[in-house]
């Protein structure tokens, strides 16, 4: 089997998207745009984003034996993702209900469906994928026990990247494997909880690092990102763009960072490039449809530490 730059273990959803002038309040109904259906899910998104950037990518996920599942498989294959690890059946394909306002901000409710049936046994059965992968990426739209099994099955010398979304408390063995743990402001606050000290993102990064990860990246949207490791805390600037839709931007960032780490880039350099990838992704509508190629990323211009 050929080596993979990245193995993504995670969710695959159909994104049901409606544009709204504003989000409804409790008990309120608002009119929206026509419904659009796109392939999504944080795991599937990361796999497509990495493959578009040129990474040799495999996906371990579960979808239903239904139209949404076929939509997701077709999208993965068109992007060049190896779908040998995608399991079919057991429950309907997961669905994400997404509203997008005129500024491009989104709100999302997820029905896990088949994602909740991706089990530790499925991870063990995919041992050959783990042995062949330089970097393994995961999220939390699949059962936490499955993510724990991912950590136990990492090959010697491989690197584990985790975006804990949706956020929840993480066991020590998972935190200790993260290199890096990638969080946005909301995820950082949930994971730190009462241990959150101060309003400065650099403090969040240091406090998260003290929980056990080998490194931490805090994404700050238009303000770039912070990278924390034993070497200290470094800020990575963003690229100014006109945001159209932020859906999937965090997945594009994570995929790009994981891909660059797999090529041997340092964490700050990888995060600087990932920030450009995330910026490119928000300039188009949708999640997977918005993910750029490497050439499109470079067209945004160069910048950031190490570049």
């Amino acid at each position: 089997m050929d080596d993979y730059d990245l193995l993504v273990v995670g969710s695959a959803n159909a994104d049901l998207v409606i544009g709204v002038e504003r989000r409804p309040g409790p008990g309120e109904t608002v009119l929206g745009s026509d419904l659009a259906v796109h392939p999504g899910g944080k795991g599937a998104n990361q796999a497509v984003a990495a493959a578009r950037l040129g990474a040799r990518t495999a996906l371990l996920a579960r979808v239903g034996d239904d139209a949404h599942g076929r939509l997701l498989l077709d999208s993965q294959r068109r992007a060049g993702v190896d779908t040998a690890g995608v399991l079919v059946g057991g429950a309907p394909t997961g669905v994400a209900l997404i509203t997008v306002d005129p500024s491009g901000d989104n709100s999302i409710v997820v029905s896990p469906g088949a994602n909740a049936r991706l089990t530790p046994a499925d991870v063990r059965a995919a041992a050959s994928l783990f042995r062949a992968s330089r970097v393994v990426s995961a999220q939390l739209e699949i059962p936490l026990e499955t993510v724990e099994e991912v950590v136990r099955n990492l090959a010697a010398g491989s690197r584990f990247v985790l975006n804990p979304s949706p956020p929840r408390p993480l066991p020590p063995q998972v935190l200790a494997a993260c290199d890096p743990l990638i969080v946005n402001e909301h995820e950082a606050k949930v994971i730190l909880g009462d241990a959150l000290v101060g309003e400065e993102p650099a403090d969040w990064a240091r406090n998260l690092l003290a929980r056990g990860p080998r490194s931490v990246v805090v994404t700050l949207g238009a303000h770039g990102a912070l990278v924390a490791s034993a070497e200290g805390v470094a800020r990575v600037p963003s690229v100014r763009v006109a945001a159209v839709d932020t859906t999937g931007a965090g997945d594009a960032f994570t995929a790009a960072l994981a891909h660059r780490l797999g090529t041997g880039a340092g964490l700050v350099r990888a995060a600087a490039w990932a920030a450009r990838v995330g910026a490119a992704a928000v300039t188009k509508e949708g999640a997977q449809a918005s993910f750029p190629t490497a050439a499109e990323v470079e067209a945004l211009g160069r910048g950031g530490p190490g570049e």
Side-chain angles (χ1 to χ4, degrees):
M1 180 182 294
D2 292 336
D3 287 346
Y4 298 105
D5 299 313
L6 178 64
L7 167 63
V8 181
V9 184
S11 58
N13 294 323
D15 287 349
L16 278 55
V17 184
I18 298 178
V20 294
E21 286 299 315
R22 59 181 178 84
R23 297 182 183 88
E28 182 183 16
T29 299
V30 299
L31 293 177
S33 66
D34 290 343
L35 176 69
V37 181
H38 305 290
K42 298 191 74 65
N45 285 351
Q46 289 181 16
V48 167
R52 288 256 179 90
L53 293 168
R56 295 169 297 173
T57 308
L59 175 64
L60 174 57
R62 185 176 286 276
V63 299
D65 185 10
D66 50 33
H68 287 157
R70 290 186 285 276
L71 171 73
L72 287 158
L73 283 168
D74 287 345
S75 178
Q76 294 291 312
R77 290 165 179 159
R78 283 196 305 270
V81 176
D82 188 329
T83 60
V86 179
L87 307 169
V88 179
T93 301
V95 172
L97 308 176
I98 304 173
T99 59
V100 182
D101 71 17
S103 72
D105 285 333
N106 61 67
S107 296
I108 304 173
V109 178
V110 175
S111 172
N115 296 307
R117 274 72 168 185
L118 187 66
T119 67
D122 295 330
V123 171
R124 292 190 292 272
S128 60
L129 290 177
F130 285 87
R131 288 194 299 269
S133 301
R134 297 177 182 177
V135 179
V136 178
S137 176
Q139 324 79 39
L140 298 184
E141 288 183 338
I142 57 176
L144 182 56
E145 63 180 4
T146 303
V147 177
E148 293 179 77
E149 191 66 23
V150 168
V151 169
R152 286 190 285 269
N153 282 266
L154 294 172
S158 66
R159 190 162 186 165
F160 180 60
V161 176
L162 176 66
N163 172 217
S165 178
R168 70 188 80 170
L170 296 171
Q173 64 270 29
V174 171
L175 283 169
C178 296
D179 193 16
L181 175 73
I182 303 176
V183 296
N184 61 21
E185 178 179 349
H186 169 66
E187 292 153 2
K189 290 181 176 179
V190 169
I191 292 172
L192 287 172
D194 293 339
L196 181 68
V197 178
E199 291 298 321
E200 291 298 321
D203 294 330
W204 312 338
R206 293 187 188 96
N207 291 341
L208 286 166
L209 192 64
R211 293 291 184 93
R214 301 176 190 180
S215 59
V216 170
V217 174
V218 179
T219 59
L220 302 170
H223 299 291
L226 283 175
V227 174
S229 67
E231 299 176 355
V233 178
R235 180 174 284 275
V236 173
S238 186
V239 177
R240 289 185 177 273
V241 295
V244 173
D245 183 359
T246 61
T247 306
D251 300 328
F253 178 97
T254 298
L257 189 147
H259 169 35
R260 274 294 165 98
L261 291 176
T263 67
L267 184 57
V268 173
R269 188 183 182 101
W273 191 66
R276 293 202 299 276
V277 174
V282 305
T283 63
K284 300 178 184 178
E285 292 184 351
Q288 294 179 20
S290 74
F291 295 151
T293 63
E296 290 171 330
V297 175
E298 295 305 323
L300 287 177
R302 303 184 65 84
E307 293 293 330

